[in-house]
Amino acid sequence: MKIPYYPGCTLKIQAKKFEDTAIAIGKQLDVELEELPNWNCCGTVYSLSADNLMYHLAPLRILTKIKKSGGDKVVTLCSMCYNTLKQANLLIKDNPEKKEKINSFLSDEKDEKIDYNGEVEVLHFLEILRQIGFDKIVKKVKTPLNMKIAPYYGCLLTRPKEVAIDDVEHPTILADLLKSLGAQPVNFPYETECCGAYQMVNQPEIITRKTAEILTSAKKRGADAVIVSCPMCFVNLDNYQKDTKIPIYYFTELIAAALK
């Protein structure tokens, strides 16, 4: 299976091991992540301002290019990129007036008329793994993990519900993946709690408090490690923890370890 792949900025810098391990396990599972040419930043977060249409140009420029190249889907690894692209796609599907204006803004480039209507399907890599089948991933495992691991979803894979890859209140996709790798998933009440995101910039004390709440909860329930799918969550949970001292992994790192 070959699928267009949007990496986003962080995957090329701080989260390079996230991308490297995803590409490696993709090859073992017959999934080729074909990186988009000339991609731009997605804008990082979806704007909640109703009249800030300019902010949606970055993610929709990416999706427009995919449509122009003949593609009908794109996969991401970063939860933040996934959330931003998918929400922008829904905006242009559900709002004809804003669609017309945004297409007009994009059409100014090279005097080319753009008519994008949300045709490109935005997928997270976890959804690709679910399509392959966790029962098939089990058969590829050479080194079962034999660990207790807490799956941390954060807020971007499940909220708002229109873009959720799983049940909003009780997602299981990461836990199902962990079972297929020979690990014991540890459910804990903070699995969909926001880590505080960019509050690290001006109010780092919030991140320290949120990190302590999330990781203490996971550790009290016996977790040996926590897995994430978001580079921002990884940085906050890994850098701002103090007494918990619990390893944080991207889910792709543990898949790679189990398939080795």
Side-chain angles (χ1 to χ4, degrees), residues 63-233:
L63 298 176
T64 300
K65 286 181 179 177
I66 297 169
K67 179 188 173 184
K68 286 173 64 179
S69 68
D72 62 358
K73 62 184 63 174
V74 63
V75 66
T76 70
L77 288 163
C78 170
S79 298
M80 192 167 284
C81 295
Y82 165 80
N83 192 283
T84 302
L85 288 170
K86 193 155 187 179
Q87 288 210 65
N89 214 31
L90 288 177
L91 171 75
I92 209 162
K93 280 183 177 179
D94 297 340
N95 194 311
E97 182 179 348
K98 290 181 178 177
K99 180 186 74 174
E100 184 177 349
K101 289 181 179 178
I102 290 172
N103 274 330
S104 174
F105 293 153
L106 292 171
S107 295
D108 287 341
E109 295 178 346
K110 300 179 181 178
D111 296 326
E112 185 178 13
K113 181 173 175 54
I114 299 295
D115 183 25
Y116 183 69
N117 303 287
E119 296 92 335
V120 176
E121 182 182 11
V122 179
L123 296 165
H124 191 273
F125 190 59
L126 282 168
E127 295 177 287
I128 299 297
L129 297 178
R130 183 168 56 193
Q131 289 177 14
I132 292 171
F134 295 136
D135 56 331
K136 293 182 180 176
I137 293 176
V138 170
K139 297 174 183 175
K140 298 276 187 180
V141 171
K142 297 176 182 174
T143 310
L145 296 178
N146 294 321
M147 298 171 64
K148 294 181 179 179
I149 301 172
Y152 177 68
Y153 298 86
C155 54
L156 295 171
L157 288 179
T158 58
R159 295 197 289 273
K161 64 179 181 181
E162 291 79 8
V163 305
I165 67 169
D166 205 349
D167 185 275
V168 175
E169 298 295 333
H170 302 291
T172 62
I173 189 170
L174 280 173
D176 294 340
L177 172 63
L178 286 170
K179 291 176 187 174
S180 75
L181 302 177
Q184 179 178 334
V186 175
N187 296 322
F188 67 118
Y190 286 85
E191 61 185 8
T192 61
E193 186 84 0
C194 177
C195 69
Y198 284 107
Q199 293 293 342
M200 71 161 76
V201 177
N202 57 358
Q203 293 183 288
E205 67 278 8
I206 293 179
I207 306 300
T208 301
R209 175 172 56 81
K210 298 294 291 184
T211 295
E213 291 173 351
I214 294 165
L215 297 184
T216 299
S217 176
K219 197 165 184 177
K220 279 185 175 178
R221 284 160 178 79
D224 301 314
V226 173
I227 58 167
V228 301
S229 67
C230 173
M232 175 68 74
C233 296

